[in-house]
Amino acid sequence: MSKFWPDFINTLDANRPAQKQVGEIMRLQLGIKHGAKEKAAGAEKSPKWEHLNDLGRKAAKRDAISDYVKSNAQARVSLRKLRAEIKSSLPKLPGREKDDLAGVLQDQEYRAYVRGLPQEQRDLAQRLHPDIAAAVARAPAELSGVPASVHAELVNDMLRKTHGAELAKIAADVAAMEMADELIRETDKEIRAAAEVAHSTDFKVWAKPLVDPLLADAGADFDELYRRQEPEALSVLGPLASAAE
């Protein structure tokens, strides 16, 4: 038995609420991953086993691990919720105080100045005076006429200076969640193998009625929940990723 997953789980910081929750999810899924086939095989010990046809035996195995399907779906829902919570709590750029009228007007002047620069200079806004660059970062890119990628770099630079330590911790939380996603997928494969599920349609017919009550409570969609997404779609840091490096 590989020690990779247990060793990784042991590296998680239990003092970080997100990582503590991820660790709990991963421990449960790891147990299911290693026990799914044995759990399904337990159906063969039923007195009725010898009297079942092939379809009946497959159904009996699936009944035996139905709780594992629900647990795997719950893990997906929990990570989905945790990802949303982290995204909503990401640090924001410090803006001007509401009563700092002079500062607000100064920022507007700086952005107007940048808008008047040739495009090649706006493309290099990072080289502008720090006060000007900060004014550009504090407002949408369109107000200064700088490219979105340049604006993101300016925002990241400011966040690195103001929230660098916090972003590094959040990045570690996100990395742990990405690993949990991978373990959940591996566990799902073991569940499907134990249930002798050959196709995704077969899995949906079996699993959807089991998990629909859970998904309804969470406002989740079955197809969306089980669709493998690209890493960038899962990252809650988005353009803040480089600020956390």
Side-chain angles (χ1 to χ4, degrees), residues 175-193:
M177 291 164 58
E178 291 172 349
M179 294 299 288
D181 272 318
E182 184 59 34
L183 177 56
I184 287 169
R185 285 192 292 269
E186 288 189 10
T187 301
D188 179 68
K189 289 179 182 178
E190 291 297 324
I191 292 172
R192 297 186 191 211

Side-chain angles (χ1 to χ4, degrees), residues 71-127:
S71 176
N72 189 260
Q74 179 62 65
R76 293 168 186 266
V77 168
S78 295
L79 276 191
R80 180 176 179 265
K81 181 180 178 182
L82 183 57
R83 190 173 280 114
E85 290 173 352
I86 290 178
K87 188 172 184 178
S88 67
S89 65
L90 288 174
K92 305 294 190 299
L93 277 182
R96 293 289 191 182
E97 296 294 335
K98 292 182 179 180
D99 57 355
D100 183 11
L101 181 58
V104 170
L105 293 175
Q106 183 68 76
D107 277 3
Q108 291 176 353
E109 290 181 9
Y110 283 150
R111 289 191 288 269
Y113 164 74
V114 175
R115 283 198 306 274
L117 294 174
Q119 186 63 54
E120 59 268 21
Q121 289 184 255
R122 280 180 277 151
D123 290 347
L124 299 173
Q126 303 94 319
R127 299 182 182 180

Side-chain angles (χ1 to χ4, degrees), residues 150 186 217:
V150 173
E186 288 189 10
D217 289 342

Side-chain angles (χ1 to χ4, degrees), residues 200-215:
S200 57
T201 301
D202 188 18
F203 176 75
K204 184 174 181 178
V205 169
W206 168 47
K208 192 172 186 298
L210 294 174
V211 303
D212 266 350
L214 167 67
L215 302 190

Side-chain angles (χ1 to χ4, degrees), residues 15-34:
N15 293 318
R16 294 283 299 173
Q19 292 189 46
K20 181 179 180 180
Q21 184 177 346
V22 166
E24 293 169 352
I25 291 171
M26 293 183 74
R27 288 185 185 91
L28 182 56
Q29 292 305 299
L30 186 60
I32 293 173
K33 179 178 183 289
H34 291 154

